[in-house]
Amino acid sequence: MNDQPGTSRGRSEPTTWVDVDPSKDYTRPPPLSRARVVRAALCLVDEKGLPALTMRALATELEVSPMALYNHVRDKDELVDLMVDLMLGEVDISATEGDWLTQLRVLVRSFHQALAAHHHLARVYSGRVRIGPHGLLLIERTIGLLLEGGFLPAEASDVFFALFTYAAGFQQMGRIAPLREGRPGEETEYYPLLPPERIPAITAVSPHLDGVRRPGRFDYGLELLLAGVQAKLAQAKEAPASHRESGHHA
Amino acid sequence: MNDQPGTSRGRSEPTTWVDVDPSKDYTRPPPLSRARVVRAALCLVDEKGLPALTMRALATELEVSPMALYNHVRDKDELVDLMVDLMLGEVDISATEGDWLTQLRVLVRSFHQALAAHHHLARVYSGRVRIGPHGLLLIERTIGLLLEGGFLPAEASDVFFALFTYAAGFQQMGRIAPLREGRPGEETEYYPLLPPERIPAITAVSPHLDGVRRPGRFDYGLELLLAGVQAKLAQAKEAPASHRESGHHA
DNA sequence: ACCTGAACACCGTTCAAGT
DNA sequence: ACCTGAACACCGTTCAAGT
């Protein structure tokens, strides 16, 4: 993030007598490994976005032939899976302060932060991706907390799903721009804009809609869900054995 | 959905004397238009998935040169935007039975169903996509219901965001496979699988985790959110003017 | 105005070859 | 075991040309 791993760059070559130029990399970080490939790929995507992730581009970043990558990674799909798991490794699943609900809140927030820190990659976090060890531990911890909270297995997995679905989806909807930003010069009848009288509610609310991910927005929805979770749990305790009952709606 | 708008299909054209060969297209359905291009693209993605959407493939589907498409669509990005808006046009935003909350529930469910019906495309529904007229009307209706329900603008947009974030994210997390399906033949140490004793909660819950989108799962999370919405609204009515208060958490 | 064919600058990946 | 260069079968898109 802080140093650009640019285009042309020196190699090891211990020429003892030359002055050291701090603008150069000297030691090439070991020979190239699966881990280094994945880390470099994640870095590249964080900096330049997902479309910039190209086997060829990644190879030049690592100062290596494109085909060298295939010694450490089956193909691009596997590479992306590994990147996702690397990202999920950043989620803090070890907090143990407070009761299960506050631990759960901390966990989901940490998940959200990891996704936000790699939002370009987060766009891909989906069914396409196989769950790696970090992902597995993350799920394990979450389900564990829910069981501890008193949920039965069926409902625990429903709740897990709702929480992570929300957090993952948040990255996707993120940069919604409800109105075409219409610099009026830009040949901009891309869409025939709707007349404002047809969208009164949006115009009434628009200063709050914007904010492109205004602070606290994620937490607001999370609290909505957690309030629902507590309500479900309370109502399950009233009618203990009939947890079928708690699944209905409308 | 029920009829495949496939490759070869007869049309009107009363060719009175020749035998009709049903394996041939006779009349090219009108000359080719923006709408037809977009519809065909959505069809193609629904049938064969997003990676199958290729300007070239779409062109052959329409029996036209690849370059012909560019007369009706600026580029592939615009095409995708138009496809998304076409999908959003399927959302029913006109239901008016019941109070605002049940109308809201119906609306979000309809949104979810539209996404599910085009789940390949739904994976792309994100910040990258500009909101078209259908998307705008969908948002308009939702915010309108929330305002009707008594939310102030700031909170209304938070709630809107939470609901649609959840529904959109649901498509993404959908096909989670928490364990590598490990046909043990398949050179499958893709990931070093975690020993089962490290994931006790998952194994306890696993029959319920699976189900790959078991029925009612979406609704469960939606009810969680709506319960939270009602709680927020109730607590806002207790302390009327201080809606700042209702934004805090933890 | 709409469509075409050839061409350009890219992709991911296979393959035979080097060390 | 690891890396390389050339090559293949694709992409999206530009361009000059046709009607």
Side-chain angles (χ1 to χ4, degrees):
Chain A
M1 214 65 27
N2 38 6
D3 66 342
Q4 71 233 18
T7 50
S8 60
R9 193 61 69 93
R11 293 282 293 227
S12 46
E13 208 71 311
T15 39
T16 47
W17 53 275
V18 233
D19 288 345
V20 178
D21 181 348
S23 73
K24 288 188 171 188
D25 278 4
Y26 286 99
T27 60
R28 289 240 80 333
L32 188 61
S33 69
R34 190 172 169 90
R36 216 158 78 76
V37 167
V38 177
R39 275 197 306 262
L42 185 53
C43 234
L44 197 159
V45 168
D46 286 344
E47 286 174 11
K48 308 190 184 170
L50 203 51
L53 179 60
T54 280
M55 298 305 272
R56 289 165 142 99
L58 180 57
T60 64
E61 193 85 7
L62 290 162
E63 300 181 52
V64 107
S65 145
M67 287 309 103
L69 303 176
Y70 288 85
N71 285 313
H72 303 94
V73 140
R74 187 184 343 241
D75 54 17
K76 196 181 178 183
D77 271 355
E78 187 190 68
L79 176 59
V80 173
D81 288 357
L82 294 169
M83 291 164 67
V84 169
D85 200 58
L86 184 59
M87 168 177 74
L88 293 183
E90 295 178 8
V91 180
D92 178 17
I93 61 171
S94 60
T96 54
E97 287 169 27
D99 64 345
W100 68 274
L101 190 62
T102 65
Q103 289 180 45
L104 184 61
R105 178 169 16 234
V106 167
L107 181 81
V108 177
R109 277 205 194 127
S110 177
F111 176 57
H112 165 62
Q113 280 161 17
L115 292 178
H118 307 281
H119 66 272
H120 286 132
L121 181 60
R123 282 210 40 219
V124 115
Y125 181 64
S126 76
R128 215 182 59 72
V129 170
R130 303 221 154 271
I131 298 299
H134 288 124
L136 221 45
L137 288 176
L138 176 56
I139 297 174
E140 167 65 22
R141 173 87 173 130
T142 309
I143 304 273
L145 288 171
L146 291 168
L147 295 178
E148 182 185 331
F151 279 104
L152 295 171
E155 215 167 340
S157 63
D158 279 338
V159 173
F160 155 75
F161 220 85
L163 289 172
F164 280 70
T165 263
Y166 168 66
F170 196 88
Q171 294 309 314
Q172 306 270 332
M173 295 283 288
R175 317 220 169 276
I176 234 173
L179 292 171
R180 183 109 176 109
E181 35 225 55
R183 284 98 79 198
E186 193 214 2
E187 68 195 71
T188 184
E189 8 75 75
Y190 188 43
Y191 289 115
L193 272 203
L194 294 184
E197 66 267 20
R198 293 200 54 190
I199 48 170
I202 286 181
T203 49
V205 164
S206 76
H208 305 277
L209 256 188
D210 64 81
V212 180
R213 179 146 333 168
R214 66 167 255 258
R217 178 150 282 175
F218 174 78
D219 287 326
Y220 185 93
L222 178 55
E223 293 309 316
L224 246 40
L225 280 166
L226 292 180
V229 166
Q230 283 178 290
K232 271 284 197 286
L233 208 50
Q235 103 189 28
K237 264 166 191 154
E238 287 170 14
S242 68
H243 67 284
R244 292 254 153 251
E245 196 69 344
S246 65
H248 85 141
H249 30 73
Chain B
M1 219 29 116
N2 41 6
D3 65 342
Q4 70 234 18
T7 51
S8 59
R9 187 65 66 92
R11 290 285 295 224
S12 44
E13 203 69 316
T15 41
T16 48
W17 56 274
V18 233
D19 286 344
V20 177
D21 180 350
S23 73
K24 287 191 172 189
D25 278 4
Y26 287 99
T27 58
R28 292 244 76 320
L32 187 61
S33 68
R34 190 173 170 89
R36 216 159 77 76
V37 168
V38 177
R39 276 197 305 263
L42 185 52
C43 236
L44 196 159
V45 168
D46 286 345
E47 287 174 10
K48 308 190 184 171
L50 203 50
L53 178 59
T54 280
M55 298 306 273
R56 288 165 142 101
L58 180 58
T60 65
E61 194 84 6
L62 289 162
E63 299 182 52
V64 105
S65 143
M67 288 308 100
L69 303 176
Y70 288 86
N71 285 312
H72 303 94
V73 139
R74 188 187 337 245
D75 54 18
K76 199 182 178 185
D77 271 356
E78 186 189 70
L79 176 59
V80 172
D81 288 357
L82 294 169
M83 291 164 68
V84 169
D85 200 58
L86 184 58
M87 168 179 73
L88 293 182
E90 294 177 10
V91 180
D92 178 18
I93 61 171
S94 60
T96 54
E97 286 169 29
D99 63 347
W100 69 273
L101 190 62
T102 66
Q103 289 180 44
L104 184 61
R105 179 170 15 236
V106 167
L107 181 80
V108 177
R109 276 205 195 126
S110 177
F111 176 57
H112 166 62
Q113 280 161 17
L115 292 179
H118 308 282
H119 64 273
H120 286 132
L121 182 59
R123 281 208 43 220
V124 115
Y125 181 64
S126 74
R128 214 182 60 68
V129 170
R130 302 223 155 271
I131 299 298
H134 288 124
L136 221 45
L137 288 175
L138 176 56
I139 297 174
E140 168 64 23
R141 174 86 172 128
T142 309
I143 303 272
L145 288 172
L146 291 169
L147 294 178
E148 181 185 333
F151 279 104
L152 295 171
E155 215 166 343
S157 64
D158 278 337
V159 173
F160 155 74
F161 220 83
L163 289 171
F164 281 70
T165 264
Y166 168 67
F170 196 88
Q171 294 309 314
Q172 306 271 332
M173 294 284 288
R175 318 219 169 275
I176 234 173
L179 291 172
R180 183 108 177 111
E181 36 226 53
R183 287 97 79 196
E186 193 214 0
E187 68 194 76
T188 185
E189 7 76 74
Y190 189 44
Y191 289 116
L193 272 202
L194 294 184
E197 66 267 21
R198 292 200 55 187
I199 47 170
I202 285 180
T203 50
V205 164
S206 78
H208 306 278
L209 254 189
D210 65 79
V212 180
R213 181 148 330 171
R214 66 167 254 258
R217 176 150 284 175
F218 174 78
D219 287 328
Y220 185 94
L222 178 55
E223 292 309 317
L224 247 38
L225 279 166
L226 292 180
V229 166
Q230 283 178 290
K232 271 286 199 283
L233 207 51
Q235 102 188 30
K237 264 167 190 152
E238 287 171 13
S242 67
H243 68 285
R244 293 252 154 251
E245 197 67 343
S246 66
H248 84 140
H249 31 75

